[in-house]
Amino acid sequence: MQQIKDYLDQLATISQPDWDFFTSKLQRQCIKKKTIFLKTNEIENHISFIESGVVRLFIPKENPDKEITFGFSFKDQFVSAYDSFLTQTPSAYQLQALTDTTLLSMTYSDLQEVYKNTQIGNLIGRLTAERLFLLKSKREQNLLNLTAEERYLKLFKERPELLKVIPLKYISSYIGVTAQALSRIRKRL
């Protein structure tokens, strides 16, 4: 619980009663490596804080080589099929643990209670949503403005640990190139 407390303390000062109420709604989940824990067409009912591990967000295809990886979430970040969570409608994509992953999760209804019953809940929710939006916006801008090679270099400058835990086929999909093109980029560097 200390990791999520440290994260939230960066956003705002939380009173002890608010913290106690918030943590009473969290449930720890341990997810094994390679497990898909939200499937397409399921409604996302959780927003989760990653205590440890890496999660991949992807659009599945009949041919697994054609899957589209469009996001990764890491330790000390929130993860969710956030559009499905907010609208309580079926997800168009899946969430998969790429490593053994430990999450602190809260249901949609419990989050609504936190918003309703704490002084700080709405502020934390808004600031967390803003951070998720900024990550999404930054990714979109990178896809539009940077070459594949620049996206690859930027990704590993910001997250050098990726190479150790994420298969290259997911990285190539994430930066928008084929595995062969990524191989050529890596040879040039």
Side-chain angles (χ1 to χ4, degrees):
M1 292 284 177
Q2 189 59 46
Q3 283 175 253
I4 194 168
K5 176 104 170 78
D6 293 344
Y7 175 88
L8 295 175
D9 282 344
Q10 295 173 30
L11 302 177
T13 303
I14 305 171
S15 70
Q16 192 61 48
D18 282 2
W19 175 249
D20 292 342
F21 188 80
F22 176 77
T23 57
S24 75
K25 303 298 183 185
L26 292 173
Q27 294 186 346
R28 182 171 276 113
Q29 295 183 61
C30 296
I31 300 168
K32 294 283 183 203
K33 179 180 181 175
K34 296 186 180 181
T35 301
I36 295 172
F37 60 98
L38 179 77
K39 294 181 179 174
T40 306
N41 295 320
E42 292 179 351
I43 294 173
E44 174 65 274
N45 194 40
H46 295 89
I47 187 162
S48 302
F49 182 82
I50 302 174
E51 281 192 314
S52 64
V54 179
V55 175
R56 173 174 81 117
L57 293 79
F58 72 102
I59 299 168
K61 300 292 181 183
E62 281 191 32
N63 178 348
D65 292 336
K66 303 284 185 188
E67 291 176 347
I68 302 168
T69 298
F70 65 91
F72 299 107
S73 292
F74 306 95
K75 177 182 172 183
D76 296 332
Q77 291 183 337
F78 281 93
V79 67
S80 180
Y82 199 57
D83 50 344
S84 172
F85 180 79
L86 289 176
T87 60
Q88 289 295 279
T89 58
S91 177
Y93 52 94
Q94 300 189 156
L95 303 181
Q96 179 184 36
L98 291 183
T99 63
D100 288 342
T101 300
T102 303
L103 304 174
L104 290 174
S105 298
M106 184 176 295
T107 65
Y108 179 85
S109 60
D110 283 344
L111 183 61
Q112 301 314 306
E113 282 189 50
V114 169
Y115 289 161
K116 182 178 169 186
N117 295 307
T118 65
Q119 293 180 353
I120 202 74
N122 281 314
L123 175 64
I124 290 171
R126 179 179 57 84
L127 293 173
T128 300
E130 287 173 358
R131 284 189 176 191
L132 289 170
F133 169 78
L134 290 172
L135 286 171
K136 182 180 182 325
S137 177
K138 182 177 167 185
R139 168 151 167 69
E140 290 169 352
Q141 290 174 44
N142 286 344
L143 283 171
L144 294 170
N145 293 318
L146 301 178
T147 67
E149 188 170 310
E150 290 169 330
R151 290 192 301 271
Y152 176 80
L153 289 169
K154 185 177 177 83
L155 181 65
F156 286 104
K157 181 179 177 193
E158 293 173 358
R159 291 284 188 178
E161 72 278 12
L162 287 184
L163 198 52
K164 297 174 189 164
V165 296
I166 298 177
L168 290 177
K169 66 181 179 179
Y170 300 152
I171 292 169
S172 64
S173 174
Y174 180 74
I175 64 171
V177 298
T178 64
Q180 295 81 4
L182 178 58
S183 179
R184 287 190 297 273
I185 289 169
R186 291 169 47 105
K187 284 180 183 171
R188 282 197 304 266
L189 300 178

